[in-house]
Amino acid sequence: MIVSIIGSGNIAWHLTHVLEENGVRVAELSVRKKANASSITGYLYDVHIKTDLDFTQSPSSIFILAVSDDAVKSVAETIVLPPEAILVHTSGAKGMNVLLGTLENNPSAKLGVFYPLMTFTKGIKVDFNDVPMCIEGEDDATTEALEKIADLISGKVQRVNSHQRGILHVAAVFACNFTNHLWALSKEITEEENLDFDILKPLVQETFVKAMKAEHPAEVQTGPAIREDQETISKHLALIKDDVDLMEVYNSVTKSIQNWHQ
């Protein structure tokens, strides 16, 4: 099985590694500048670096767009593929139809989505066996071809349509991105007073463990908001009164917790 990957960011870094480690040859890596490929190519057996999107002579049958969400449509409209190729994107937020523009240049192409539901940082490897792979294809044959590759790298492969993937993506933003941002704000609060953020890490860990064990995370909610401890809430707001943005976040999350549990 041979694939080509377009992109050099976080997802491209991880996919190239895990695919080759599991017997899928990455024949080509397409990047805007060759220097962008340096962090990836050292781990690949034999890959051709391209700075264009003409894959007419490519040996690959599957082409993976591992580019930013905003770039998916324009790349799909520009890429030139060999006959009967499968073109997929890796976005959680974009529907499969964002690839339809590729059919003007590649009328025989099949379309799909190859979405790993995980947070990725280049250089920090993850265990792909635990990474849910959300697969969508325009027909059964395309879906089965994508599942065949996904099964090689993950133990959690699911068929997920574009609407379902969009719902999962917004839920993931709350569970991952927003949560991480709240930790970042917490670190800023402690450092402002020369306190060590590490003192909070056992609390963070316990909160995570309890939420994962509970049937519903709301069951293990604690804190002044759910207790409606207005005296403590007012004291907190007084302590951060000089930071309007921080106060807005505090008030918004407090109100959300209280509304949920009323």
Side-chain angles (χ1 to χ4, degrees):
M1 197 171 298
I2 306 175
V3 305
S4 292
I5 293 180
I6 297 88
S8 59
N10 292 334
I11 294 182
W13 190 92
H14 284 272
L15 283 180
T16 51
H17 284 67
V18 73
L19 287 170
E20 287 239 329
E21 288 169 359
N22 288 278
V24 179
R25 179 188 166 200
V26 179
E28 298 154 318
L29 180 66
S30 177
V31 294
R32 284 180 292 182
K33 297 179 181 179
K34 285 193 175 183
N36 294 345
S38 60
S39 64
I40 297 177
T41 52
Y43 298 88
L44 300 178
Y45 173 66
D46 182 22
V47 63
H48 175 57
I49 305 301
K50 293 172 59 65
T51 55
D52 63 80
L53 293 170
D54 185 353
F55 291 91
T56 308
Q57 303 301 317
S58 174
S60 298
S61 57
I62 297 178
F63 296 80
I64 302 174
L65 301 187
V67 298
S68 68
D69 286 359
D70 288 344
V72 172
K73 185 174 185 291
S74 61
V75 173
E77 292 171 346
T78 307
I79 197 169
V80 182
L81 303 169
E84 309 297 329
I86 297 174
L87 179 68
V88 302
H89 70 65
T90 57
S91 170
K94 297 290 185 181
M96 186 170 62
N97 61 3
V98 73
L99 300 175
L100 287 173
T102 201
L103 297 178
E104 183 172 342
N105 293 327
N106 310 281
S108 68
K110 298 295 183 179
L111 309 178
V113 180
F114 195 75
Y115 171 53
L117 204 171
M118 180 53 61
T119 174
F120 293 111
T121 300
K122 190 183 294 186
I124 302 177
K125 297 191 75 173
V126 301
D127 183 357
F128 254 84
N129 192 55
D130 293 327
V131 175
M133 292 299 304
C134 301
I135 302 302
E136 182 179 13
E138 68 169 76
D139 54 33
D140 287 342
T142 303
T143 303
E144 289 167 5
L146 297 177
E147 284 179 327
K148 185 176 181 180
I149 294 182
D151 284 334
L152 292 174
I153 64 176
S154 171
K156 298 181 178 181
V157 180
Q158 297 186 43
R159 296 189 181 191
V160 178
N161 65 37
S162 291
H163 174 73
Q164 293 169 328
R165 192 172 57 257
I167 295 296
L168 283 173
H169 192 260
V170 71
V173 166
F174 275 90
C176 174
N177 307 133
F178 288 177
T179 302
N180 189 76
H181 180 62
L182 292 176
W183 292 339
L185 294 179
S186 179
K187 184 174 176 65
E188 291 296 308
I189 292 170
T190 54
E191 289 187 343
E192 186 72 22
E193 296 295 331
N194 295 316
L195 294 167
D196 188 354
F197 175 72
D198 285 358
I199 197 172
L200 296 177
K201 288 184 177 179
L203 173 65
V204 171
Q205 180 68 28
E206 179 64 15
T207 302
F208 171 79
V209 170
K210 286 198 302 183
M212 291 300 98
K213 288 182 178 179
E215 184 174 344
H216 194 301
E219 296 173 359
V220 293
Q221 182 71 49
T222 62
I226 192 173
R227 296 194 303 266
E228 298 200 17
D229 185 347
Q230 191 56 49
E231 184 176 344
T232 298
I233 292 170
S234 296
K235 183 177 181 179
H236 288 171
L237 290 171
L239 289 170
I240 59 174
K241 62 182 175 59
D242 293 332
D243 191 325
V244 176
D245 290 339
L246 201 58
M247 288 183 66
E248 184 177 348
V249 173
Y250 188 101
N251 280 321
S252 178
V253 176
T254 295
K255 184 177 179 180
S256 180
I257 292 171
Q258 291 176 338
N259 288 343
W260 176 278
H261 289 275
Q262 281 180 353

